[in-house]
Amino acid sequence: MRALRPSLAFALLLLLGIAVLVAIVPLLPGYDPYTQNLGASLLAPGDRSLDGRLYLLGTDTLGRDMLSRLSLAGRVSLFIGFFAVSVSLVVGVGLGLIAGFFRGWVESVIMGIADLQLSIPRVLLLIAVAAILGTGVFKLALLLGITSWVAYGRVARAMALSLREREFVLSAITQGATPFWNIRKHLLPNVLPQMLIVGSYELGQIIVLESALSYLGLGVQPPLPSWGLMVSEGQTYLELDPWLSVLPSIALFMLVAGVQITSQSFTAENDMSAEVVKAP
Amino acid sequence: MAYFILRRALQSVLTVLGVITVTFFLVRLAGDPATLLLPVEATNEDIARLRTALGLDQPLIVQYLKFLANAATGDFGVSLRQRTPALDLVLERVPATLELALTSFVLGLLLAFGIGLLMRLSTSARLRTAIMWVALARQAIPVFSFGLILILIFSVWLRWLPSLGRGTIQHLILPALTLATYELALYLRLFNASLAVEQRQDYVRTAYSKGQGRTKVILAHMLPNALLPLVTIAGINLGLLLGGTVVTETVFSWPGVGRLIVQSVSQRDYPVIIAGVFIISLIFVVVNLLVDVLYGFLDPRVRLS
């Protein structure tokens, strides 16, 4: 199985490409994701417009520079991804630790909500909520964050269950430590590394969800670009100008594959240490 | 066993109840349906009259109980656009969604089974690595992007298959392939892992010591045992697949429930959205229940947990 594991170097290369796209491209001369130039619409990558300007990745239907839009879309996706992961991490770790530490009815309620949420397809839940509460980058990020806490919650609870029986927690309790002091000082630092691994995996998932919602027209709204939205805008012109959909798809693939492989290499290390412990 | 089924059935009912409760209160949170229904120039008296007619002037809890009572009889209200019962609109689309989901489910299993077996029987490590890389790469492409790439290759360039709509078996191929390949990497890894577990069992050693060949041992002895986990995970994922149909249906203009929900969202047709969400979560829950019960029969250890 070891030989099958895709190399981390490849993943980092993909992520480097994305980093250049979102961090370096906006510094280049000619960066302009919004200005329409109807005289230069639907140019192929590498074409020059009539006034002699070079468009490295071509233009969209309204003559906007594709490279600039891809770059801005990447920034939007990454912002939503990191924001949503932070929100779900805080909510999930909080609820998970409370459930695992207090047990009893508190645990039943929290885990009941988690089970309920897992029993509906996440895309459907997000569509229903987005339909009703409306869209927008900030709302979308918050929504994705709130609906993604279960993964952290379950792991945090499982870890809290074993941690609460450990001597350092018990001794703190006998010396009069309050539950929340214990959760903050003893449980949180112990679960945090594991949570960051979950978070790195979730980042890819969130970005895929965001792009899917934007593709359906329920996520990021024009004129702001998003890779999913760009794919859907380009679908009409698939026959003549396929790069309109293909370029954002490639960008999505680079980011998602990069994030997934990197996070898998974290978990792979963990799995291996687990195997070492289990081996007789 | 009866207790196990009863408990799981009760859980399922609670889940569906939870889903429509959440959707109901979200809709009320979004604003007054009366102002949404009436044109902008409606007077305050018009709005008040409609609120009384719709029962919106009653306490929220009364409205909620009424909504539940109506929903129990299959009445989710009338579509704001089409003026037909919302549930009927949704039910019309259910066969299309089920057709797509079930075809993708079976196709996904067949692909995982065929390719997984090929990986196990082949002696080339390079081939196995290559297959795994392709499957992992597929997993990193979102459903809508992959669907579009398939359209580009098979409809636009090669002109072999139609890019949208439903009707013939050709229409089904691309959407089903899009959904079926998404979990392929997971299935392959699982199938490989369970084959590896079986490989260490005593009965396999016995078979080899009897002088049976590698292919025979894998096909006749290990395979039946290694299939169970694959089928289970695929069954659990059938629900996720149902979620995936929402996006796939939009990509391929497949006339299913998912596409209806997405269209109703842009038209703010709330009764249809609620009915659609209800039907999909109902299918989801029933499928999960069936998988659990089936697995309880196959593996008695599950019932105890």
Side-chain angles (χ1 to χ4, degrees):
Chain A
M1 210 51 204
R2 195 126 194 222
L4 297 181
R5 200 154 281 141
S7 83
L8 192 59
F10 176 64
L12 293 178
L13 202 69
L14 292 178
L15 290 180
L16 185 72
I18 292 297
V20 168
L21 181 68
V22 300
I24 311 284
V25 167
L27 306 175
L28 297 178
Y31 171 79
D32 182 0
Y34 287 122
T35 305
Q36 303 179 6
N37 180 0
L38 293 177
S41 68
L42 293 174
L43 291 180
D47 273 4
R48 277 175 193 281
S49 60
L50 289 175
D51 53 9
R53 202 186 139 189
L54 176 71
Y55 290 94
L56 264 185
L57 294 181
T59 56
D60 69 359
T61 43
L62 297 172
R64 294 174 294 196
D65 178 35
M66 280 294 277
L67 182 62
S68 304
R69 288 187 70 74
L70 282 173
S71 168
L72 182 60
R75 295 181 152 216
V76 173
S77 283
L78 283 174
F79 167 77
I80 293 178
F82 278 108
F83 188 91
V85 165
S86 317
V87 170
S88 52
L89 201 138
V90 171
V91 175
V93 172
L95 289 178
L97 290 183
I98 289 172
F101 190 83
F102 287 103
R103 317 249 11 213
W105 66 270
V106 180
E107 185 184 24
S108 308
V109 169
I110 292 176
M111 289 298 121
I113 297 173
D115 283 342
L116 178 67
Q117 212 174 310
L118 283 183
S119 55
I120 331 165
R122 194 145 64 142
V123 180
L124 195 70
L125 182 72
L126 284 167
I127 288 177
V129 179
I132 291 155
L133 299 185
T135 46
V137 171
F138 196 68
K139 245 188 231 172
L140 190 64
L142 204 62
L143 208 68
L144 284 164
I146 292 172
T147 50
S148 310
W149 67 276
V150 178
Y152 309 88
R154 296 199 140 187
V155 180
R157 171 186 157 268
M159 293 180 77
L161 285 181
S162 74
L163 284 170
R164 73 195 284 270
E165 309 295 343
R166 296 278 292 274
E167 287 81 359
F168 58 85
V169 176
L170 291 178
S171 92
I173 293 176
T174 55
Q175 290 175 47
T178 63
F180 284 102
W181 188 90
N182 250 326
I183 289 176
R184 204 175 66 236
K185 291 281 178 188
H186 284 326
L187 265 51
L188 191 60
N190 277 300
V191 301
L192 219 48
Q194 191 71 35
M195 289 301 119
L196 291 177
I197 292 175
V198 176
S200 73
Y201 172 77
E202 280 282 311
L203 182 65
Q205 301 284 306
I206 298 266
I207 286 170
V208 169
L209 270 176
E210 177 271 316
S211 66
L213 282 176
S214 297
Y215 173 83
L216 295 174
L218 304 171
V220 175
Q221 298 295 317
L224 205 63
S226 145
W227 290 332
L229 189 61
M230 290 172 80
V231 171
S232 126
E233 285 170 350
Q235 192 172 357
T236 329
Y237 304 90
L238 200 59
E239 195 138 345
L240 294 173
D241 308 302
W243 65 87
L244 285 181
S245 294
V246 171
L247 287 175
S249 295
I250 293 174
L252 261 172
F253 171 75
M254 284 170 67
L255 181 59
V256 174
V259 169
Q260 270 182 4
I261 298 171
T262 312
S263 83
Q264 255 167 25
S265 72
F266 290 144
T267 25
E269 273 164 32
N270 271 30
D271 282 353
M272 257 179 308
S273 60
E275 271 166 23
V276 171
V277 174
K278 261 187 278 172
Chain B
M1 191 68 205
Y3 174 72
F4 169 73
I5 296 177
L6 197 71
R7 202 184 55 190
R8 283 291 290 110
L10 202 68
Q11 267 175 8
S12 309
V13 172
L14 280 178
T15 305
V16 175
L17 197 68
V19 171
I20 57 172
T21 303
V22 170
T23 344
F24 172 83
F25 283 106
L26 276 173
V27 169
R28 285 298 175 276
L29 208 70
D32 192 341
T35 49
L36 282 169
L37 279 168
L38 289 170
V40 194
E41 62 267 21
T43 60
N44 281 342
E45 288 86 67
D46 290 338
I47 295 178
R49 214 174 309 130
L50 187 68
R51 283 177 61 90
T52 320
L54 291 174
L56 292 171
D57 51 347
Q58 288 164 350
L60 198 59
I61 184 75
V62 176
Q63 288 184 41
Y64 170 64
L65 291 177
K66 256 190 193 156
F67 166 77
L68 277 189
N70 284 338
T73 60
D75 178 9
F76 284 86
V78 173
S79 161
L80 305 182
R81 301 280 149 175
Q82 317 225 18
R83 304 281 163 206
T84 44
L87 191 65
D88 293 356
L89 276 177
V90 175
L91 289 178
E92 250 169 47
R93 305 285 196 107
V94 169
T97 295
L98 285 184
E99 179 186 312
L100 178 59
L102 290 178
T103 313
S104 314
F105 174 72
V106 174
L107 188 65
L109 271 184
L110 287 179
L111 280 175
F113 179 67
I115 298 176
L117 208 56
L118 181 77
M119 281 169 80
R120 180 49 58 169
L121 289 174
S122 97
T123 43
S124 154
R126 204 170 284 169
L127 178 74
R128 266 178 281 175
T129 315
I131 292 176
M132 215 52 220
W133 269 82
V134 171
L136 280 174
R138 164 65 191 95
Q139 214 174 24
I141 305 175
V143 165
F144 59 89
S145 282
F146 191 75
L148 237 97
I149 292 167
L150 287 185
I151 292 179
L152 192 61
I153 296 175
F154 292 102
S155 306
V156 176
W157 290 341
L158 297 173
R159 305 205 173 272
W160 286 353
L161 296 165
S163 64
L164 49 87
R166 173 178 180 237
T168 63
I169 193 104
Q170 280 96 327
H171 286 94
L172 189 56
I173 296 176
L174 291 186
L177 209 56
T178 305
L179 271 178
T181 49
Y182 190 61
E183 296 287 349
L184 193 59
L186 174 73
Y187 292 169
L188 284 180
R189 237 178 312 177
L190 195 78
F191 192 40
N192 262 318
S194 52
L195 276 174
V197 168
E198 296 304 324
Q199 188 136 38
R200 289 198 290 269
Q201 303 292 321
D202 289 337
Y203 72 87
V204 173
R205 202 176 317 143
T206 310
Y208 276 122
S209 63
K210 281 197 304 185
Q212 283 181 342
R214 196 172 118 86
T215 314
K216 174 90 195 283
V217 173
I218 291 177
L219 288 181
H221 294 284
M222 286 160 59
L223 200 59
N225 291 308
L227 270 181
L228 193 61
L230 182 66
V231 174
T232 315
I233 292 293
I236 292 168
N237 278 359
L238 187 55
L240 288 179
L241 208 124
L242 221 54
T245 57
V246 176
V247 179
T248 313
E249 283 174 4
T250 305
V251 177
F252 294 95
S253 299
W254 187 264
V257 182
R259 185 148 178 268
L260 179 69
I261 294 176
V262 172
Q263 284 171 334
S264 307
V265 166
S266 53
Q267 298 169 340
R268 304 194 164 275
D269 200 340
Y270 294 121
V272 180
I273 300 174
I274 297 185
V277 170
F278 168 72
I279 288 296
I280 296 243
S281 47
L282 189 67
I283 299 175
F284 190 91
V285 162
V286 168
V287 164
N288 280 342
L289 179 66
L290 285 180
V291 170
D292 275 8
V293 170
L294 214 71
Y295 202 51
F297 270 115
L298 293 175
D299 190 345
R301 284 168 298 182
V302 178
R303 274 173 261 161
L304 299 173
S305 64

